[in-house]
Amino acid sequence: MDSCSLLSFSFLIIVMTVLASKDKDELIKRDQNSLLSFRSSIVSDPHNSLSTWVSSSTSSSSVDVCNWFGVKCNNDSTRVIELDISGQDLRGEISPSIANLTALTVLDLSRNLFTGEIPREIGSLHKTLKQLSLSENLLQGNIPHELGSLNRLVYLDLGTNRLTGQIPVELFCNGSSSSLQYIDISNNSLTGEIPLKNHCHLRELRFLLLWSNKLVGDVPPSLSNSTNLKWIDLESNLLT
């Protein structure tokens, strides 16, 4: 390779490296903006838990987004992969902007005072989300059937809210049938039957907690396919 070709090749490598670095910066910046948008829907933070959530463009004393309270990034700090702000007495609604965190594997907003409905946009995290915990809040309305798209979900906890309507069939009968291990939708006001059809096999299911709802009908025979089941609680319903 002559000196001219070598120079051109070296320049190309430098350009590609700069572009790759720029793309990574844009991804983490997008995640930061999504978190700030999520925070804007929180009207009360009594413990100042989110005081570190400050945009670097507005404050020279702000910390990196990967060091924000409750936030965990991947190894090269290019994406937010976990958000756990449980038990902080936060009050407000869950902003749909949370679904813009497209690398998220864990979302835990439990034990707060969130109101309103569960954003259906969370269902768009189907490629990454493994744990969804929204329990012990003040959430109301129906469970979005879009949550049935979360086909990598292992842990689902929507217990102790004010949810109404029927449990979406898609929640128990979709691609996540091979991965779901924990389901807790207890202590709500859900109606209808347990939507576990004969062709839906929750083979990895270990815990099924549906107590204190208004569920009717039979216990689904297809639960016999859940051979790893350790704990099932269906008390305080209208099952026959």
Side-chain angles (χ1 to χ4, degrees):
M1 181 180 293
D2 56 39
S3 58
C4 184
S5 298
L6 183 59
L7 184 61
S8 298
F9 179 75
S10 299
F11 178 74
L12 180 61
I13 293 297
I14 292 173
V15 170
M16 292 177 64
T17 301
V18 170
L19 290 176
S21 177
K22 183 179 179 181
D23 287 343
K24 290 180 179 179
D25 289 343
E26 288 179 352
L27 287 173
I28 194 63
K29 185 67 176 179
R30 186 188 309 163
D31 284 354
Q32 174 184 281
N33 291 336
S34 298
L35 287 171
L36 291 173
S37 178
F38 167 80
R39 186 192 177 188
S40 68
S41 295
I42 295 176
V43 298
S44 177
D45 179 9
H47 309 300
N48 292 319
S49 304
L50 307 185
S51 59
T52 58
W53 288 31
V54 182
S55 173
S56 57
S57 62
T58 60
S59 173
S60 59
S61 63
S62 65
V63 296
D64 182 83
V65 61
C66 296
N67 293 323
W68 286 3
F69 174 81
V71 175
K72 180 180 179 181
C73 293
N74 56 2
N75 290 335
D76 54 0
S77 298
T78 58
R79 300 304 308 273
V80 172
I81 59 172
E82 294 185 14
L83 177 60
D84 182 353
I85 49 175
S86 57
Q88 302 303 312
D89 297 321
L90 300 171
R91 187 183 297 273
E93 295 192 355
I94 302 175
S95 171
S97 62
I98 202 71
N100 294 327
L101 300 172
T102 54
L104 207 61
T105 61
V106 174
L107 177 57
D108 190 344
L109 308 179
S110 61
R111 294 181 289 115
N112 283 293
L113 298 167
F114 285 110
T115 58
E117 298 186 349
I118 299 173
R120 62 183 69 249
E121 289 82 359
I122 292 177
S124 66
L125 300 174
H126 58 90
K127 293 182 179 180
T128 59
L129 198 63
K130 295 182 179 180
Q131 176 181 332
L132 177 60
S133 305
L134 304 178
S135 61
E136 296 184 53
N137 279 287
L138 303 172
L139 298 170
Q140 57 191 28
N142 295 340
I143 299 174
H145 68 83
E146 286 85 356
L147 296 190
S149 301
L150 299 172
N151 52 22
R152 297 196 176 190
L153 209 58
V154 175
Y155 185 101
L156 174 66
D157 191 353
L158 308 178
T160 311
N161 278 288
R162 299 173 177 177
L163 301 173
T164 55
Q166 299 187 11
I167 302 173
V169 174
E170 297 89 347
L171 208 61
F172 286 2
C173 190
N174 63 12
S176 67
S177 298
S178 60
S179 61
L180 266 172
Q181 297 181 18
Y182 184 100
I183 300 174
D184 185 350
I185 323 179
S186 61
N187 200 23
N188 282 287
S189 296
L190 298 168
T191 56
E193 298 184 349
I194 302 173
L196 191 56
K197 307 301 180 183
N198 290 334
H199 63 282
C200 300
H201 299 162
L202 296 172
R203 298 190 183 280
E204 297 300 320
L205 189 64
R206 278 126 169 104
F207 299 88
L208 178 62
L209 310 177
L210 303 178
W211 54 269
S212 192
N213 279 290
K214 301 176 183 178
L215 300 173
V216 299
D218 299 332
V219 176
S222 54
L223 269 177
S224 62
N225 295 307
S226 301
T227 55
N228 291 308
L229 199 61
K230 297 180 181 298
W231 185 12
I232 180 171
D233 192 340
L234 307 177
E235 67 178 312
S236 299
N237 278 288
L238 302 173
L239 298 171
T240 56

